Amino acid sequence: MASENTRKWAIIPEPNSMTVGEGTVLLPYAGRVNESIAIGDGDFLLAHQLVADIRSATGTDWDIATGDMWSGFIRLRIADSWDFDSQDGGTAGAYTLTINTDGITITGCDFEGVRNGVQTLRQLIRQNGAVLPELQIADAPACQIRGYYLDATRGRVPTLAWLKQWADKLCLYKYNQLQLYIEHTFAFDGMSETWRGSSPLTPADTLEFDQYCANLGIELVPSVSTFGHQYVAMRTQELRELGEFPEDADRPFSFIERMRHHTLNVADDRAFAFSAQLVDSYLQLFRSKRFNICADETFDLGKGKSKQEAQRVGVAALYATYVGKLCEHLSKQGREPMFWGDIAIEMPEILETLPNNVTLLNWQYEPEATDEKIQLVAQAGAKQIVCPAVWGWNALLPRIDDAWNNIARIARYGIDCGAEGMLVTDWGDFGHVNDPRMAVPGMIFGAQYAWNPAGDTAENDLLERISRVEYGDCSARFVALLRNASAQAVFTWRELVEYLELDDGTGNCNTDVAQTIPCLADRLVDHLSDYGNAMTVREARNRMMRNMATTIERIPQANRALQQCMVDIAPIAAHMGNPGITAAVRIAMEGQLLLNRVGFALAEAHDVRDAHDAGDWRPSDYRALARELECWCEAYAKEWNATSQPSELHRIQETVWKAADELRRISK
């Protein structure tokens, strides 16, 4: 392939085979796309995609036709049986693309193949306008399932309009599956107490979006929590008795507790009836035969109401029996069950009980992940899809290096172990403070490595290509600057939430929160044995901030570097013609500057840093910083509305306001 240093355009995912000629091809000012009826694209969506991009890039209007009586400078066709050799194998999604002076031809072995070829051509048109390079491409995906998993429940419920924009983007990068994560944010009949005030998605939304995705060649797979992650439902008056710890249902809301305490008591027969009702009503809205029951992170299983039954049969058996029963329930209805594999992998005896039609979603998010867990599932003979992450949760800025390391590794492990595909996850822990537009680089990493994981693609090279293809950045620096900015996140949203939630709302230390913070977990037991009483909020916060002392030292330098990133990225963003992403990035960077300053101020208040030792930089006085936080929060709320329903925006605002109030308190 031609080096990126010798041409100013790129294709993502990078094709497996591409030959670039010396010449160029000028698109006609009045051309036509001829799309074969055999493709099965009833609304000629693929032809319309090309016509829209040609109009946007060149200002000219093209015609659309079908049938051999009509000429077309761009021709879309389904392959004859001999068009793909044994190497391409007629693989689902395979295509060829030829651009020469005779015109442009895209040939796919099926609808998905033509669709994929069209996305490659669209990327070329967007970057080159009316003058395209002569080239030949023969291409096919490594993973047959190339999916994206979007959290639509723990803070943000996307608007339907934004979901459609996201599906368009997934299509452009050749994804063919999408799942939306649902806990409580769907308007199930009879469950209004659970979804009230959450801006829930509706059956009408789902039917419309399912059709929209299908037209794009994307399978919309239903995914709903049916075992763990029932925090909101288990806090209602009507359903609390189904939880492991109904006595805790009236505790104040906590982002951290929502991540830990959310498990159904499956020893109660009513729990299965509840889960089956969710499954049965939800699956009727989707054309997909797959169904993800989730069933992950059942931390409280066997510890509360089900303790006696767990002691009798064992926690693993309790888990396996319930999940098996749900899978059987789906199988009887002709569905293919999927569920997250974390519990089954921790208790490998569960793997031996899985039905043949069940797919394990094997998630691993460590940047330096090994293939041990993927090998374990493969050796057990279970079907699996490997699941890395875009690394956006708990942060205003995406951790791009972590996403690249994680996704590139997991994709290769999956191919080596015969996984059925890859599902890239995008989570919203702690209120989904991360703007979904910040996940685009990670999403594109997933597109590249699900398609061609064996390619020798360096991170910096891929960042440059993303800058060109996605953002229209001729300097190819935009994503690298975003990565550099994210590296300056010293005191993050997660640390702020931990600090604030150490107060249980009554002035006492929340031990459930403290147990999730490594530097506090061990001390809780020691404190009781040494002093005979629980740790106070002040003591817990002191220890937390002192444990961060070395990190806090970086804040002045980090904020200077972050401000320089803002200066460097501004002129690039101004020329990209995308005010939405420009605003989102600016708000995220400004927010991280403020979070760093809040961390520095809290450290100072806890005597981690002395004022005279602050060097050449100090935060503003606490009250002024509180006012800046509140003003930033208003700007943040406006950007939230660009992609999301109101949903849980109020929880983000309340957290910021608590931080501002704390700053005012410690200023006295």
Side-chain angles (χ1 to χ4, degrees):
M1 293 184 60
S3 167
E4 289 295 321
N5 294 326
T6 63
R7 53 180 165 84
K8 299 300 183 183
W9 53 267
I11 298 169
I12 305 173
E14 191 172 17
N16 289 283
S17 173
M18 181 168 73
T19 302
V20 180
E22 296 294 328
T24 57
V25 175
L26 179 65
L27 293 177
Y29 65 87
R32 178 183 292 133
V33 179
N34 184 302
E35 180 177 350
S36 170
I37 197 74
I39 293 169
D41 179 17
D43 295 328
F44 297 98
L45 174 68
L46 300 177
H48 282 291
Q49 285 182 329
L50 288 168
V51 167
D53 277 321
I54 290 169
R55 182 184 302 114
S56 178
T58 71
T60 59
D61 287 311
W62 278 39
D63 191 16
I64 293 172
T66 191
D68 57 11
M69 297 298 292
W70 297 92
S71 63
F73 192 80
I74 298 177
R75 299 172 292 276
L76 312 180
R77 57 189 290 269
I78 287 287
D80 295 323
S81 58
W82 57 82
D83 283 346
F84 287 85
D85 61 27
S86 59
Q87 184 177 0
D88 296 313
T91 303
Y95 71 94
T96 62
L97 167 61
T98 302
I99 302 176
N100 58 35
T101 54
D102 293 331
I104 300 171
T105 301
I106 294 172
T107 303
C109 69
D110 52 12
F111 166 79
E112 185 179 340
V114 179
R115 183 204 72 149
N116 292 336
V118 166
Q119 308 318 308
T120 296
L121 181 56
R122 292 176 67 201
Q123 292 182 21
L124 290 170
I125 291 168
R126 290 183 175 196
Q127 295 170 81
N128 294 282
V131 182
L132 301 180
E134 283 189 335
L135 55 72
Q136 288 184 318
I137 291 174
D139 206 7
C143 295
Q144 287 304 297
I145 294 175
R146 304 177 303 284
Y148 197 84
Y149 195 84
L150 178 64
D151 191 337
T153 204
R154 289 184 298 184
R156 288 180 188 267
V157 177
T159 64
L160 183 58
W162 186 83
L163 282 173
K164 290 179 178 179
Q165 292 175 28
W166 191 250
D168 289 337
K169 200 175 292 294
L170 293 176
C171 175
L172 180 64
Y173 294 105
K174 305 183 177 72
Y175 278 86
N176 61 6
Q177 189 183 109
L178 172 62
Q179 299 186 31
L180 303 181
Y181 175 49
I182 298 296
E183 291 177 3
H184 65 285
T185 54
F186 194 84
F188 288 105
D189 282 352
M191 291 184 61
S192 56
E193 189 188 3
T194 299
W195 50 254
R196 66 188 185 189
S198 69
S199 309
L201 293 167
T202 67
D205 294 331
T206 302
L207 291 171
E208 183 175 343
F209 191 49
D210 185 63
Q211 182 64 59
Y212 192 85
C213 288
N215 291 344
L216 293 170
I218 295 172
E219 178 186 15
L220 185 65
V221 174
S223 172
V224 64
S225 290
T226 59
F227 196 164
H229 289 285
Q230 293 288 351
Y231 180 77
V232 176
M234 297 303 99
R235 289 164 58 82
T236 64
Q237 295 293 331
E238 293 188 16
L239 296 172
R240 64 177 59 193
E241 290 303 320
L242 298 184
E244 284 279 8
F245 293 103
E247 62 271 20
D248 290 341
D250 292 321
R251 294 179 67 171
F253 175 89
S254 161
F255 284 131
I256 294 173
E257 288 185 27
R258 177 159 74 178
M259 300 298 298
R260 305 295 302 176
H261 302 299
H262 44 57
T263 306
L264 279 176
N265 167 24
V266 296
D268 187 327
D269 290 339
R270 294 175 298 173
F272 182 78
F274 167 72
S275 296
Q277 180 183 357
L278 294 179
V279 167
D280 292 348
S281 55
Y282 205 41
L283 64 80
Q284 294 180 356
L285 305 175
F286 297 80
R287 68 192 67 203
S288 174
K289 293 299 182 184
R290 297 182 174 93
F291 196 108
N292 181 3
I293 61 171
C294 296
D296 58 318
E297 296 187 332
T298 52
F299 300 125
D300 287 334
L301 182 62
K303 296 179 180 178
K305 288 286 188 177
S306 70
K307 185 174 183 178
Q308 184 175 353
E309 182 65 10
Q311 289 174 338
R312 186 180 73 84
V313 302
V315 173
L318 195 61
Y319 178 89
T321 299
Y322 192 75
V323 170
K325 194 175 177 182
L326 281 173
C327 290
E328 182 182 5
H329 182 74
L330 278 164
S331 298
K332 286 180 179 178
Q333 300 179 73
R335 306 290 167 147
E336 300 172 17
M338 314 169 88
F339 68 93
W340 298 108
D342 54 305
I343 304 300
I345 290 169
E346 291 301 319
M347 302 182 218
E349 61 267 35
I350 294 173
L351 293 174
E352 301 173 3
T353 70
L354 295 180
N356 292 331
N357 68 333
V358 171
T359 300
L360 210 67
L361 301 173
N362 196 347
W363 62 269
Q364 290 187 83
Y365 302 150
E366 301 88 352
E368 306 298 326
T370 69
D371 65 350
E372 180 181 358
K373 293 180 179 179
I374 298 172
Q375 289 274 14
L376 177 67
V377 175
Q379 290 166 4
K383 294 194 297 185
Q384 66 177 318
I385 291 174
V386 295
C387 307
V390 299
W391 273 86
W393 63 86
N394 294 344
L396 293 171
L397 292 164
R399 288 155 294 209
I400 290 175
D401 284 342
D402 289 338
W404 183 80
N405 278 300
N406 177 234
I407 292 169
R409 287 170 185 270
I410 296 300
R412 289 193 293 269
Y413 299 155
I415 291 295
D416 291 344
C417 293
E420 295 196 332
M422 186 163 81
L423 183 67
V424 181
T425 62
D426 183 356
W427 297 107
D429 307 14
F430 291 26
H432 211 145
V433 71
N434 39 309
D435 189 305
R437 292 168 291 190
M438 296 293 100
V440 169
M443 178 272 284
I444 298 178
F445 291 165
Q448 171 62 50
Y449 289 104
W451 189 274
N452 186 5
D456 186 18
T457 303
E459 181 183 7
N460 288 337
D461 171 64
L462 190 49
L463 297 187
E464 290 180 5
R465 290 197 286 130
I466 295 171
S467 295
R468 292 187 188 280
V469 177
E470 171 62 23
Y471 298 107
D473 169 25
C474 295
S475 75
R477 297 178 59 219
F478 180 78
V479 183
L481 286 169
L482 184 59
R483 175 193 61 184
N484 295 346
S486 70
Q488 312 313 320
V490 178
F491 192 79
T492 68
W493 180 254
R494 180 187 184 101
E495 278 94 31
L496 179 63
V497 170
E498 288 174 340
Y499 181 91
L500 295 174
E501 289 196 358
L502 280 169
D503 186 334
D504 69 358
T506 67
N508 295 315
C509 179
N510 187 324
T511 55
D512 278 341
V513 171
Q515 286 171 356
T516 69
I517 303 173
C519 69
L520 298 180
D522 293 339
R523 291 298 299 162
L524 289 173
V525 176
D526 294 342
H527 202 278
L528 282 171
S529 61
D530 292 344
Y531 302 102
N533 54 19
M535 190 182 295
T536 67
V537 175
R538 177 71 184 180
E539 289 167 333
R541 287 176 170 174
N542 269 336
R543 180 167 291 277
M544 175 185 169
M545 296 309 299
R546 289 185 179 280
N547 188 67
M548 292 188 67
T550 302
T551 304
I552 294 292
E553 297 285 340
R554 289 188 51 233
I555 286 178
Q557 178 184 357
N559 269 17
R560 286 193 291 271
L562 184 49
Q563 287 168 331
Q564 187 60 51
C565 285
M566 293 169 64
V567 169
D568 293 340
I569 211 168
I572 294 172
H575 287 88
M576 292 187 332
N578 189 338
I581 192 62
T582 300
V585 168
R586 177 64 186 275
I587 293 298
M589 289 184 175
E590 292 283 1
Q592 188 54 58
L593 280 170
L594 287 169
L595 282 175
N596 282 349
R597 291 172 59 193
V598 169
F600 199 93
L602 293 176
E604 210 169 44
H606 286 274
D607 298 322
V608 174
R609 289 297 309 267
D610 294 326
H612 71 271
D613 191 33
D616 61 349
W617 184 91
R618 287 187 61 196
S620 306
D621 69 79
Y622 298 155
R623 293 184 180 183
L625 181 54
R627 292 192 291 270
E628 289 185 67
L629 272 177
E630 289 158 344
C631 290
W632 172 84
C633 193
E634 292 303 302
Y636 174 86
K638 291 179 181 177
E639 282 309 305
W640 177 287
N641 294 331
T643 64
S644 310
Q645 301 281 5
S647 31
E648 293 187 27
L649 171 61
H650 67 95
R651 297 199 192 281
I652 301 289
Q653 293 171 312
E654 288 163 4
T655 300
V656 174
W657 298 337
K658 284 181 183 178
D661 291 345
E662 181 67 16
L663 288 168
R664 290 188 174 97
R665 186 189 67 77
I666 62 179
S667 70
K668 295 177 181 178

